Each structure stands twice: as structure tokens, then as C-alpha cells.
Amino acid sequence: MPELPEVETVRRVLLPRLQGKTIRRVRIWNEQVLGSPPETFAARLTGQTVADFLRRGKFLRLAFAGGDALTLHLRMTGCLLLEEESSPPSKHTHLGFLLSDGKELRYEDVRRFGKFWFLPEGEKDPSGMERLGIEPFDPALTAAFLAQKTAKSKKPVKEALLDQRLVAGIGNIYSDEILFAAGIRPDKACNLLGEEEFSRLAAAIPERLAYFTEKNALTFEEYAKSGGKEYRNTPYLQVYGKSGAPCPRCGGTLAHMRIAGRSAVFCPRCQH
């Protein structure tokens, strides 16, 4: 599933191509991806001009010049592509937004888990985005903040990192990478973390996410050629998906466990 670095890559690649463009027509091939009433979705979006393309956690939002917005979540297999209007849509294309420059912004999703919500100005966002926790790059994300939010919890620290109400944008991949960088076992209970561990965790969260965002940088041409599905972080991952491999820090064997139904890979020597 795309996490913050991948979602931020989509935002950065498409923002210059979308900003200032007006939606001339909306095509709906599959209403399953709509979180808003389909009978008004196309009508409300037609004529809207894109003022900005924003990210919040793993969510994306098209902000329109008039104050309305479109919130979307790519989920596991969703991707956004800019295509020629005349090119035939793929069998997994569910939405199309014809823009004033003649391009069509299309949403493809093999598993159809993604969702789009139209948000009129001043109304509550039905997507749940408003319940997200702090952004990883917010200066308020400190050791004291993490301790205040989690120090009384018996949850494993990995499970806490996966909770979008704590810090927005972290998923299974980068929780492993963050905990490895911080030297903390993924199954350690939050209420057993000390001040130094909270400090390392608060430093590792923005550092690791910024690092992988930059490693994932793509040009628009590279993004388009890959169909919006290519991510470049795999060579830089230190522990995720590498159970049984040597630890890049100490040479010991990386171990695997299950936490809250998710996989976790860590080094028993380097993480305590």
C-alpha cells in the first residue's frame, strides 16, 4: 500500500500539471470508488478549477479555486494518470476528469479499494481525514508529544505507529524502517519506552520519511512511463521484507514477527 513517501511523490509529480486547469467533464465508469452520491458527483466537479494539490497523511486533496475540494485515497493499488482524451481507458479505469488543456486525469485501481469524496466549502470532510494525527514533519512532533500520547499505552510501539490518529502517513513498510533507525523493538510496549527512546523515535520519524520521499523522486515522464506504479525505495530499505537476511548494521540475522496482524522485521541485536 502506498505510504506517505509514495503519496507525496504522486502529489509532487502531478501538481504542476493540474494547477490552474479546469475540469470540463467527468466520466464515471465505476461508482464503487465514489464516497459521495454519484448522481451529483460529476455535476459538482464540472467547471471547477484546480488551485492546489495537497497531501495529508496518505490522503490527497484537489483544492479548487472556489473553495470546494476533492479528497481521495489511493488505498492499495490505486494510481492517477494523465492521458490523452482519445486514448482508450484500461479495464481498471474507474474515473476520468477531462481538463481544459485536453488531458484527462484518470483513476485506475485493480482492487477498487480507493475512494473519492467531494467536499463543498465549509462542510465536514466525510473521508475521515479530519481524524488524522500530527504530520510527521510538524515541529510539534517531539519526544514529549509522543510520550504524552502513548506513554500509558500497553500497545506495541509498531502498532502505535500504524495508528493514523497518532502520526499520519506511516504504514507497515516505514514503521519497520523507523524503528530500526531508532533502535527500538517493534513489539516493545509504549509504556516501557524511556525518554531517550522517545527522543530517538521523534527524530527517526521525519528523518526516515523525508529520506525515502527524496529517494522516490520521479520526473513526470518517468512516472507516466511506469503507469504511476513505479516506486524506487526498495534498494534503500534496510529491514522491511528482509527477514533472515544479515542486519546492515551488525551483521546478525534479521527476525520476523506478527504484530496486530501485520508483519514486522527487526534486528534482535540492534533493537531493544
Side-chain angles (χ1 to χ4, degrees):
M1 179 182 289
E3 299 180 28
L4 186 151
E6 291 76 35
V7 176
E8 177 63 16
T9 295
V10 174
R11 189 196 72 82
R12 292 184 183 185
V13 167
L14 293 181
L15 172 61
R17 308 278 171 156
L18 298 177
Q19 199 166 35
K21 306 301 189 301
T22 299
I23 298 174
R24 298 300 187 195
R25 186 187 67 201
V26 178
R27 295 199 283 179
I28 303 172
W29 286 281
N30 188 341
E31 295 180 356
Q32 184 178 343
V33 301
L34 300 183
S36 300
E39 60 271 14
T40 60
F41 185 81
R44 286 178 153 185
L45 283 170
T46 302
Q48 299 273 9
T49 298
V50 178
D52 207 348
F53 194 31
L54 310 168
R55 180 197 56 75
R56 178 78 169 92
K58 302 177 190 177
F59 287 81
L60 289 166
R61 175 176 283 174
L62 284 172
F64 300 121
D68 298 335
L70 181 68
T71 302
L72 59 126
H73 199 305
L74 300 174
R75 302 294 180 190
M76 295 182 69
T77 57
C79 62
L80 294 170
L81 298 172
L82 275 175
E83 306 277 7
E84 298 292 339
E85 179 191 6
S86 58
S87 66
S90 74
K91 68 177 182 178
H92 298 300
T93 300
H94 306 303
L95 290 176
F97 305 93
L98 180 63
L99 305 176
S100 51
D101 63 354
K103 298 288 187 180
E104 187 169 44
L105 180 66
R106 293 177 179 173
Y107 177 67
E108 296 184 5
D109 191 347
V110 174
R111 303 188 70 174
R112 301 188 299 277
F113 290 160
K115 278 287 187 292
F116 287 69
W117 297 267
F118 179 76
L119 178 61
E121 183 180 18
E123 292 192 13
K124 184 177 180 180
D125 191 338
S127 69
M129 192 171 78
E130 294 177 350
R131 296 192 295 271
L132 293 176
I134 195 170
E135 280 287 310
F137 308 114
D138 191 322
L141 177 58
T142 62
F145 170 86
L146 292 175
Q148 188 270 325
K149 292 289 186 179
T150 68
K152 295 181 181 180
S153 174
K154 295 181 180 180
K155 284 184 179 180
V157 62
K158 177 175 172 103
E159 185 177 351
L161 289 178
L162 294 176
D163 187 346
Q164 300 302 294
R165 296 168 298 180
L166 176 65
V167 181
I170 302 172
N172 205 41
I173 297 172
Y174 300 115
S175 59
D176 279 359
E177 296 297 311
I178 287 165
L179 290 169
F180 178 72
I184 301 170
R185 283 179 62 100
D187 60 342
K188 190 165 187 175
C190 293
N191 64 347
L192 298 180
L193 296 178
E195 183 178 344
E196 174 59 28
E197 289 167 308
F198 277 120
S199 294
R200 296 201 305 266
L201 189 58
I205 290 172
E207 188 280 326
R208 288 289 82 189
L209 292 175
Y211 172 83
F212 284 109
T213 298
E214 293 308 315
K215 290 299 183 184
N216 203 40
L218 294 168
T219 65
F220 174 78
E221 290 72 24
E222 291 168 332
Y223 179 86
K225 186 177 180 180
S226 73
K229 299 180 178 69
E230 179 181 336
Y231 301 120
R232 297 184 169 181
N233 287 343
T234 302
Y236 305 101
L237 296 172
Q238 294 191 288
V239 293
Y240 176 80
K242 298 186 177 183
S243 176
C247 170
R249 187 176 295 156
C250 74
T253 302
L254 296 176
H256 172 271
M257 65 171 65
R258 301 287 294 182
I259 296 175
R262 310 295 296 276
S263 67
V265 179
F266 68 104
C267 177
R269 291 182 183 176
C270 296
Q271 293 170 255
H272 307 284

